[in-house]
Amino acid sequence: MSVTTLGCRCGTVRLELDGSPIVVAQCHCNSCREGARRLAHLPGAPVVTGAQDGVDYVLYRKDRLRITRGREMLRHFRLGSNRKTRRVIASCCNSPVLVEFDGGHWASLYGSLWPAGTLPALDLHTMTGDRVDTTPLDDGVPAGRWATTKFFATLLGAWIAMGFRQPALAAETPEIVLEG
């Protein structure tokens, strides 16, 4: 199995990923766009929204992701106190690292972690019904309801392959507040 090594912009936080991702997706949901907007206000943070106002993610099974260095620099925020999604950043340089859903078996790593030109090819656009820009997505990548259904089916397939386990990704990270 191949290993991909990634890190935050300053190199303090390092990750290792085993094998291939579950899927590479660009999410257009309101939550991902709002999270990206809040991240953009952090000093030095890279832009995580793409040209079509979606956020690029590379989804990996949690059992294939290791934080090998800089765990103590990780912080998270939620868009609201009752939200099940936490967005994790490297506080050393404000690099967005991943999105994790409470009880999920996968982690959605921000595409901005990959060096220029190395991001795996996009498999699908998801949650396109939330898009504000109604210009058609013309990049040849599947989008819409069927793509979203296929996305969730792919996640279910990965969970089945994991024996329905939900591994802990990391010890709970300190929470920060990023106001809207």
Side-chain angles (χ1 to χ4, degrees):
M1 200 177 315
S2 65
V3 175
T4 301
T5 302
L6 299 171
C8 65
R9 290 176 67 164
C10 72
T12 300
V13 175
R14 303 295 290 173
L15 310 167
E16 285 185 354
L17 308 167
D18 291 331
S20 299
I22 299 170
V23 68
V24 181
Q26 187 176 76
C27 188
H28 299 271
C29 79
N30 293 327
S31 292
C32 287
R33 289 195 331 269
E34 174 61 17
R37 188 186 68 71
R38 290 187 192 185
L39 289 167
H41 292 292
L42 293 173
V47 174
V48 295
T49 51
Q52 298 168 327
D53 206 27
V55 180
D56 292 331
Y57 295 109
V58 182
L59 284 68
Y60 268 87
R61 294 170 32 170
K62 286 183 183 178
D63 62 350
R64 294 189 175 175
L65 165 62
R66 285 179 308 285
I67 301 166
T68 59
R69 190 170 72 205
R71 182 182 309 265
E72 70 281 0
M73 300 305 295
L74 297 178
R75 303 290 183 269
H76 77 272
F77 72 96
R78 297 179 191 269
L79 296 180
S81 60
N82 61 344
R83 297 293 183 102
K84 300 290 185 186
T85 306
R86 66 183 192 133
R87 288 163 170 79
V88 179
I89 65 166
S91 63
C92 45
C93 59
N94 291 328
S95 291
V97 177
L98 60 90
V99 175
E100 181 181 25
F101 298 91
D102 291 351
H105 61 280
W106 77 96
S108 302
L109 287 95
Y110 282 97
S112 58
L113 286 175
W114 273 255
T118 67
L119 182 67
L122 192 60
D123 293 315
L124 60 93
H125 293 278
T126 190
M127 302 299 293
T128 56
D130 284 355
R131 290 183 70 226
V132 176
D133 179 2
T134 58
T135 306
L137 299 168
D138 61 357
D139 57 7
V141 175
R145 289 180 193 207
W146 176 244
T148 297
T149 301
K150 183 178 175 187
F151 169 72
F152 286 112
T154 302
L155 285 178
L156 177 60
W159 196 26
I160 291 168
M162 293 172 65
F164 296 103
R165 289 180 295 118
Q166 297 173 332
L169 180 62
E172 186 66 21
T173 57
E175 187 164 4
I176 58 172
V177 176
L178 293 182
E179 295 296 329

